[in-house]
Amino acid sequence: MQAPKLIIIGRDGILNRFREDHVKEPSEWEPLPGALEAVAKLNHAGWHVVIATNQGGIGRGLVDMSALNAVHVHMMKLLAAKGGRIDAVFFCPHPAHEHCECRKTAPGLMHEIASRYGVDLKNVPMVGDTPRDLEAALAAGCPPHLVRTGRAGRVQPEEVAQWLAAAPGALVHDDLMAFAHHLLERDANPRTGH
């Protein structure tokens, strides 16, 4: 059986608005403009999209599992209304001080995804909005992509340049739709790069 065409994206700041105080209930999960449509566009082109997200608020007692599940049900409904879907959500519930293997920058979630889907991570683009995401992508062997939404949209270009200097090969896109266009153009013209 052939491995699926897979993309790993972060959640907060990539698909929905990033909140410093965590997304604690469905009404706080606000999609970014064009993000749901970008997932649908990728799905329609044969790509499977999975989420890899740090949800340390769980381990810190700020969010519980039923709330997280309700948020993701809400997310899936909004996506379905746009003709898109997320295949699975992989999350790390641990706070940073636990130094687990699944919290990005560690590659644990990506290795779990590779194992579940039978994919080689060097063929799996990973999209994030922080240097932590870029570091996790590189640690896992995924081609790293940064979107200038979420946290990357709040910092000066010089700081983003520093992030990129530490992440060789990372590509920058304005948002998830710009990433989708890049990937679909690359698929249509395979000789033009990654």
Side-chain angles (χ1 to χ4, degrees):
M1 194 172 87
Q2 190 179 359
K5 292 189 341 184
L6 197 67
I7 297 165
I8 299 171
I9 66 172
R11 193 191 79 177
D12 304 320
I14 295 101
L15 202 53
N16 58 285
R17 290 192 197 287
F18 173 75
R19 295 175 61 106
E20 293 288 352
D21 63 342
H22 300 276
V23 175
K24 299 173 293 303
E25 58 185 59
S27 65
E28 295 180 349
W29 195 90
E30 296 176 68
L32 287 165
L36 303 181
E37 293 83 353
V39 172
K41 185 180 272 288
L42 290 163
N43 292 156
H44 292 209
W47 287 91
H48 295 261
V49 181
V50 298
I51 288 176
T53 178
N54 288 348
Q55 294 296 323
I58 295 171
R60 288 162 51 208
L62 304 172
V63 183
D64 65 26
M65 283 303 302
S66 62
L68 185 72
N69 290 336
V71 165
H72 290 155
V73 166
H74 175 66
M75 173 184 79
M76 299 294 194
K77 281 183 183 161
L78 294 179
L79 269 163
K82 301 288 186 185
R85 72 181 182 284
I86 296 290
D87 279 36
V89 179
F90 293 77
F91 66 92
C92 166
H94 308 109
H97 68 265
E98 289 189 16
H99 304 293
C100 61
E101 281 303 305
C102 55
R103 184 176 173 85
K104 298 180 289 185
T105 59
L109 286 180
M110 281 56 74
H111 291 157
E112 194 181 326
I113 292 165
S115 171
R116 172 95 60 95
Y117 285 89
V119 293
D120 183 337
L121 289 171
K122 77 176 191 318
N123 301 319
V124 179
M126 183 169 159
V127 183
D129 72 325
T130 66
R132 185 171 56 219
D133 293 324
L134 295 175
E135 203 176 316
L138 290 171
C142 297
H145 293 264
L146 183 76
V147 287
R148 290 296 312 266
T149 49
R151 286 148 289 187
R154 297 179 179 186
V155 298
Q156 295 302 314
E158 302 79 49
E159 191 170 344
V160 172
Q162 289 174 350
W163 298 0
L164 297 172
L171 299 180
V172 185
H173 312 278
D174 287 339
D175 54 23
L176 198 56
M177 185 61 87
F179 164 78
H181 285 148
H182 161 81
L183 199 63
L184 299 183
E185 277 175 31
R186 185 203 71 181
D187 283 358
N189 306 289
R191 287 188 298 278
T192 59
H194 65 274

